[in-house]
Amino acid sequence: MISKLPLQAAFCFYSLPALFRSSDRPERHNHTKRGIKMDKEQLITEVAKAGGFSKKNAEKAVTVVLDSILEALKEGQEVQLVGFGKFEVQAREARMGRSRRTGKEVQLPAGKVPVFTAGLMMKKALN
């Protein structure tokens, strides 16, 4: 999975923390109710700039990294990037919920949910 990434994809992925430190880049992020968000296209642009790649190669690298993480999670694997964070899938049991429209209790089925836990480097960079 992750070990089979091309060199460019691996470089882009491991240079992502540098994007958190970049204070001189212009703000082009979207504003939401929760704050500012960066979409995939903006991430590709930032990776291209940080890595000195063309936008096309940066798009391939970002797509390969995200697809590799998704495939590993589908296979039940945990993806841990030391310092950055850990991606895993957790089982959610069936439970009772409440319909927002009617207010009645409804049975919610069991399922799997993706979970991300931030690593120490990311926590330090954000505080």
Side-chain angles (χ1 to χ4, degrees), residues 71-85:
E71 285 302 314
L73 293 175
K74 282 181 181 179
E75 294 174 7
Q77 298 175 8
E78 180 180 282
V79 178
Q80 184 169 2
L81 304 165
V82 177
F84 185 78

Side-chain angles (χ1 to χ4, degrees), residues 29-39:
H29 302 107
N30 299 323
H31 291 273
T32 66
K33 291 179 183 177
R34 294 183 182 173
I36 299 172
K37 73 173 186 172
M38 177 185 280
D39 63 19

Side-chain angles (χ1 to χ4, degrees), residues 82-103:
V82 177
F84 185 78
K86 177 175 71 172
F87 298 90
E88 62 184 324
V89 176
Q90 291 181 351
R92 181 179 281 173
E93 296 179 4
R95 63 195 188 284
M96 293 302 291
R98 191 167 299 278
S99 169
R100 293 181 188 159
R101 185 175 43 161
T102 63

Side-chain angles (χ1 to χ4, degrees), residues 45-93:
T45 301
E46 293 296 326
V47 168
K49 276 200 271 181
F53 305 127
S54 68
K55 245 181 139 176
K56 190 173 186 176
N57 286 337
E59 180 178 8
K60 287 179 187 177
V62 169
T63 301
V64 167
V65 169
L66 296 177
D67 288 348
S68 297
I69 291 171
L70 182 60
E71 285 302 314
L73 293 175
K74 282 181 181 179
E75 294 174 7
Q77 298 175 8
E78 180 180 282
V79 178
Q80 184 169 2
L81 304 165
V82 177
F84 185 78
K86 177 175 71 172
F87 298 90
E88 62 184 324
V89 176
Q90 291 181 351
R92 181 179 281 173
E93 296 179 4

